[in-house]
């Protein structure tokens, strides 16, 4: 009798569990079948309103909807719903790793939602509180794997922040460490837990970001994951992203064309924007135009609008449709914001008020898509003369080096990078720092650590160029590996 009473007390107090219904709701949510996930989690919360894990999955549905659709008209409502869930979880008296983890995770969702809609100060405050909660959870529940997933991710990202900002983060208690973070993330990705797939995705993406040598393995992991779950739209997006980053455009287009679709999935307009890039690289200008037009019709957010009009300008200009090209050129300045790098680049292009060099533009696009032979053939038709502008000469050498690098013809790539550095001398062109970074990678692959270190450090010495923060961050991360 006493044993039965004690057991019933224990069971009734352990409300926060990742049960079968929550698991199904989470799976549907991760597939971006948000309506299906909402229906399942609603049933769970009707039976167990204090299940913190169910509240977390429900919150994930709102968070993913905001991230994917970026609709400002739904922001206030979905943010309020997230804050209400945080209050409910905080009010729970249950002592459980799931409660504390859900609290931290929902707070992180709130922080990132605010950041997405440019409420930076409020986002920073919530991010700090979330991070400190994850740290406290790690001390209280050191073997709880879901916490290692998110804490590890944050440790890596904070550890990757440029030194100029790191001092401030240290002052407010947000200390990152790349090695510790990757170890935490790897543990969550390699041991069974309900959020293992999330950890696998995050680990692959961060390895791709951190280590040049992990590009192929990250791609293999994410494409395998997408193939194993062909009905998962989120995994299709991640596979497209990594293939596009690795300049495997044909494979990325195949993933796009075979992506799951139907009324069960939430609209994902950004996929059209990605596809537009892939078609542009391929020289399929009509398809690129169509995809970006679909993106502009469906996308309700303020990001990527300048980039979409810029790509539409390029596609029309390369297709010799001058009137349409001019129309989209004007819209670059008139629409959207310049917060994300794509939009900022588009705006800088209009501010420079220069028409692109057709040879260099095609070489860049084809090279970005992995069409190296076509890029090289086209670029070799460009003749350098004494009257060739400095910027075009520097870009010519840089593009040729990138093409040879992609073709794995190392001596020609090295020579081209050195020529790009020399041609960019006494300027704020980004070709010299970027060429230095790429030379660092080449020498690191050859295990010539002395030269690799010298070039990574050289990359960070250049000032005033458009990609200062990102190139410095990449060089710094590479130096940590050596």
């Amino acid at each position: 009798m006493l044993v039965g009473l004690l057991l019933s007390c224990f069971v009734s107090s352990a409300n926060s569990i990742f049960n079968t219904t929550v698991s199904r709701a989470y799976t549907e949510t991760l597939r971006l079948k948000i309506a299906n996930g909402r229906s399942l989690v609603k049933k769970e919360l009707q039976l167990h309103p204090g299940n913190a894990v169910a509240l977390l999955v429900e919150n994930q549905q709102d968070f993913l909807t905001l991230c994917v659709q970026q609709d400002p008209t739904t922001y206030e409502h979905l943010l309020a719903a997230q804050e209400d869930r945080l209050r409910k979880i905080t009010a729970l008296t249950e002592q459980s790793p799931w409660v504390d983890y859900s609290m931290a995770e929902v707070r992180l969702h709130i922080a990132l939602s605010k950041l997405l809609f440019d409420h930076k100060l409020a986002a920073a405050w919530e991010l700090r509180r979330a991070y400190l909660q994850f740290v406290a959870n790690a001390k209280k529940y050191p073997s709880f794997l879901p916490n290692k997933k998110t804490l590890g991710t944050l440790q890596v990202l904070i550890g990757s922040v440029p030194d100029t900002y790191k001092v401030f983060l240290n002052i407010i208690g947000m200390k990152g460490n790349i090695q510790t973070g990757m170890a935490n993330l790897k543990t969550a990705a390699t041991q069974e837990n309900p959020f293992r797939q999330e950890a696998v995705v995050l680990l692959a993406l961060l390895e791709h970001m951190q280590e040049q040598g992990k590009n192929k393995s990250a791609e293999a992991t994410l494409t395998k994951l997408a193939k194993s779950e062909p009905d998962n739209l989120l995994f299709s997006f991640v596979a497209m992203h990594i293939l596009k980053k690795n300049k495997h455009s044909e494979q990325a287009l195949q993933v796009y064309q075979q992506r799951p679709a139907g009324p069960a999935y939430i609209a994902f307009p950004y996929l059209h924007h990605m596809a537009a890039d892939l078609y542009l690289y391929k020289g399929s200008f009509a398809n690129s135009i169509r995809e970006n037009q679909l993106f502009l019709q469906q996308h309700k957010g303020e990001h990527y609008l300048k980039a979409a009009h810029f790509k539409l300008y390029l596609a029309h200009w390369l297709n010799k449709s001058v009137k349409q090209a001019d129309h989209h050129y004007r819209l670059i300045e008139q629409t959207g914001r310049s917060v994300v790098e794509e939009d900022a680049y588009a705006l800088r292009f209009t501010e420079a008020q220069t028409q692109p060099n057709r040879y260099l533009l095609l070489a860049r696009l084809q090279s970005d898509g992995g069409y190296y032979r076509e890029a090289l053939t086209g670029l070799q038709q460009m003749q350098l003369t004494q009257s060739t502008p400095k910027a075009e000469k520097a870009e010519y050498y840089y593009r040729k080096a990138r093409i040879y690098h992609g073709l794995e013809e190392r001596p020609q790539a090295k020579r081209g990078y050195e020529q790009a550095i020399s041609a960019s001398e006494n300027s704020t062109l980004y070709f010299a720092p970027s060429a230095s970074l790429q030379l660092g990678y080449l020498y690191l692959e050859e295990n010539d650590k002395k030269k690799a270190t010298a070039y990574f450090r050289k990359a960070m010495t250049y000032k005033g160029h458009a990609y200062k923060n990102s190139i410095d961050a990449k060089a710094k991360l590479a130096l940590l590996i050596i």
Side-chain angles (χ1 to χ4, degrees), residues 168-235:
F168 171 73
L169 291 172
N170 287 340
I171 290 171
I172 62 173
M174 294 178 68
K175 296 180 180 180
N177 185 290
I178 294 170
Q179 287 80 7
T180 302
M182 292 299 279
N184 276 326
L185 196 48
K186 196 167 288 186
T187 301
T190 54
Q191 296 183 27
E192 276 305 321
N193 70 91
F195 297 108
R196 183 180 176 182
Q197 282 188 322
E198 270 189 60
V200 168
V201 170
L202 290 167
L203 179 63
L205 291 174
L206 287 175
E207 281 181 339
H208 184 272
M209 184 183 84
Q210 300 290 327
E211 299 182 45
Q212 188 84 351
K214 293 290 182 74
N215 286 0
K216 289 181 181 178
S217 62
E219 180 182 309
T221 297
L222 296 177
T223 52
K224 182 181 177 182
L225 193 61
K227 286 176 183 176
S228 71
E229 292 196 26
D231 62 341
N232 191 310
L233 185 57
L234 184 62
F235 290 169

Side-chain angles (χ1 to χ4, degrees), residues 8-176:
S8 66
C9 288
F10 175 78
V11 171
S12 64
S13 65
N15 290 319
S16 298
I17 54 173
F18 198 90
N19 58 31
T20 303
T21 305
V22 173
S23 176
R24 288 170 57 208
Y26 172 69
T27 299
E28 291 295 277
T29 300
L30 212 58
R31 289 172 177 162
L32 298 185
K33 293 182 175 181
I34 300 298
N36 292 358
R38 286 193 195 283
S39 177
L40 287 163
V41 86
K42 184 179 179 181
K43 290 177 184 176
E44 171 63 22
L45 288 170
Q46 285 172 344
L47 292 172
H48 306 109
N51 188 343
V53 197
L55 289 167
L56 168 58
V57 172
E58 186 182 47
N59 204 78
Q60 203 171 31
Q61 292 158 2
D62 285 351
F63 174 63
L64 283 171
T65 299
L66 275 177
C67 288
V68 169
Q69 300 189 330
Q70 300 184 21
D71 186 351
T73 65
T74 64
Y75 170 69
E76 294 294 342
H77 165 69
L78 292 178
L79 181 67
Q82 291 186 69
E83 290 173 335
D84 182 56
R85 282 185 209 100
L86 181 60
R87 284 190 289 271
K88 287 178 180 177
I89 295 170
T90 305
L92 295 174
T93 57
E94 178 187 351
Q95 297 295 309
S96 158
W98 280 116
V99 173
D100 290 347
Y101 169 72
S102 298
M103 192 187 308
E105 196 82 5
V106 170
R107 196 180 291 283
L108 180 62
H109 291 169
I110 291 169
L112 296 176
S113 297
K114 289 179 177 180
L115 184 62
L116 180 64
F117 286 85
D118 208 30
H119 301 292
K120 294 187 181 71
L121 284 176
W125 173 245
E126 293 291 356
L127 182 60
R128 176 183 180 272
R129 295 179 71 185
Y131 178 76
L132 294 178
Q133 179 74 56
F134 284 118
V135 171
N137 293 349
K139 293 177 181 176
K140 194 173 179 181
Y141 311 107
S143 61
F144 189 64
L145 293 172
N147 197 76
K148 288 181 181 290
K149 167 197 62 103
T150 314
L151 176 60
T153 302
L154 291 174
Q155 286 170 327
V156 173
L157 292 175
I158 294 167
S160 306
V161 168
D163 291 337
T164 50
Y165 301 106
K166 194 168 286 185
V167 174
F168 171 73
L169 291 172
N170 287 340
I171 290 171
I172 62 173
M174 294 178 68
K175 296 180 180 180

